[in-house]
Amino acid sequence: MKKITKIIIILFFSLMLNTQNIVAEEKIKIGLLVPLSGENSKIGKSIIKSINLAINKINNPLIEILPKDTKSNPSITLRAAKELSEEGIKIIIGPIFNENLIYLDELQDVIFLSLTNKINDNKNIISAGINANSQLKAITKFQILNNLKKTIFLIPKKDFAEEIEKAIIDSKVSIFKTHYYDSDPTKLTSQIESLTNYSRRKQNLADEIKRIEKSDELNKERKIKNLKKKDTLGRIKFDSVIIADFDESLKSITTSLFYTDVSPKNIHFITLNQWFDESLLKEKSSQPIFFPSINKKNYEEFIKIYYEAFDEYPNQLSFLSYDLIGLVYYLIIQNNMEISSKMFIKKNMFKGKVGIFEIKNNKINHILNFYKVEENNFKKIF
């Protein structure tokens, strides 16, 4: 009887210890700052849905997400961040837009993982977007693989020009010359003509035709006929061009290059991350065109899973936010279940759906894949 009593007591204390361990396991609380109302609410709601998918995938009941509406307003963003901080939140995903970061340096005890692609110098704000530095590093790899020695960089006179300039220095991408251009089509054409020495090459052709016409060369008629099939005559002084633009502005540049007899069949056309914009498939004259980007296969799988769950297509930022939950969870485990700035200071790597995240010195860079648009398809290069 005493033996049975002893066993019961042991079991009771064992159960009590296990219960205390369960109680001791604190929730992993992660804040979320996204626009849930206003003109960008659709983006915010899409991000919340993707984060729910990530939480279900991780399948740990200790993870708790606390979302707050930023209304895409810097002051409201700060107020929402303070509310999360008062609840004991030490790490927050968001906000989305760079302009909503301006007051967040007031909360130095909170780590913000912003979805912006603009690198921020504040120690407590880490930009997790696909930044220019990550893209240019992928372009550098492409240059080496293709032995490209004379790359010109075309940068629009827009607000992100400074960011591109800094990324050129940081990434050590090989640039032969840098040119800034106006997006205004009336100015753009003449700028591209000047860049490609179009007038001189056009005149070279006319001069060569005249020279042969006056000559006694054999087969001069055939030579003249072949020359007249050309638009210009003379070598281009560069072997590749990086165009830092998107959508219709990008198409204007490639069209202007093609108009000045600079063909992507002879000169490598390279641009920045296009998120697999299918309108590029229709632009036959600019193909092949190359760009760094996220993992296309994983992106398509995510879109499929998201659509099956919510009967709608996700925003591009949703894909990134899906990975950020996994990244935060991974780093917390690596840091003995503690949330601190140390998680983003020491060198680390995380393989997500987007690709590989490189973490070091409060910065996140991405190791990107590289694609080309050709024959109505996006083809992976590496």
Side-chain angles (χ1 to χ4, degrees), residues 202 205 209 223-234 261:
K202 193 81 172 172
L205 179 63
I209 291 171
K223 290 179 180 178
I224 290 169
K225 184 179 179 181
N226 288 336
L227 282 171
K228 286 184 176 179
K229 291 178 182 178
K230 298 177 179 288
D231 291 322
T232 61
L233 187 64
D261 201 25

Side-chain angles (χ1 to χ4, degrees), residues 6 23 40 59-60 70 173 176-177 192 199 217 219 244 250 252 270 313 325 329 342 345 353 376:
K6 186 177 180 182
V23 172
N40 296 309
N59 193 27
N60 186 335
T70 65
V173 63
F176 175 55
K177 285 184 179 178
I192 296 297
S199 297
E217 291 186 20
N219 301 317
L250 171 62
S252 294
I270 306 166
Y313 291 103
I325 289 294
Y329 183 61
K342 292 179 183 178
I345 292 174
K353 290 289 185 181
N376 201 38

Side-chain angles (χ1 to χ4, degrees), residues 9 12 31 42 73 90 93 115 143 152 180 208-209 230 248 254 257 259 269 306 311 313 316 348 355 373-374 377:
I9 291 170
F12 174 77
K42 191 174 180 181
N73 180 292
K90 295 181 179 179
I93 293 176
L115 278 74
Q143 286 178 316
I152 63 169
Y180 297 84
E208 182 64 6
I209 291 171
K230 298 177 179 288
E248 294 306 314
T254 57
L257 286 167
Y259 167 77
F269 284 14
Y306 187 101
D311 196 28
Y313 291 103
Q316 294 165 352
N348 213 329
V373 182
E374 191 176 47
N377 203 358

Side-chain angles (χ1 to χ4, degrees), residues 327-339:
L327 171 65
V328 170
Y329 183 61
Y330 166 77
L331 292 177
I332 290 172
I333 291 172
Q334 292 284 306
N335 202 45
N336 297 319
M337 302 308 289
E338 290 184 13
I339 297 173

Side-chain angles (χ1 to χ4, degrees), residues 100-111:
N100 290 332
L101 301 173
I102 58 176
Y103 301 130
L104 297 182
D105 57 348
E106 292 185 25
L107 300 172
Q108 287 295 320
D109 293 334
V110 179
I111 301 167

Side-chain angles (χ1 to χ4, degrees), residues 9 19 30 47 62 73 75 81 89 92 103 105 112 117 122 150 169 180 187 218 222 239 271 277 285 319 338 346 379:
I9 291 170
T19 304
I30 302 170
I47 287 171
L62 294 177
N73 180 292
S75 298
I89 306 298
I92 295 173
Y103 301 130
D105 57 348
F112 295 92
N117 58 8
N122 290 327
K150 289 190 174 182
I169 296 169
Y180 297 84
K187 297 179 181 178
L218 293 174
R222 181 173 59 82
D239 57 20
T271 186
D277 177 4
S285 63
F319 187 44
E338 290 184 13
K346 59 184 179 181
K379 298 181 179 180

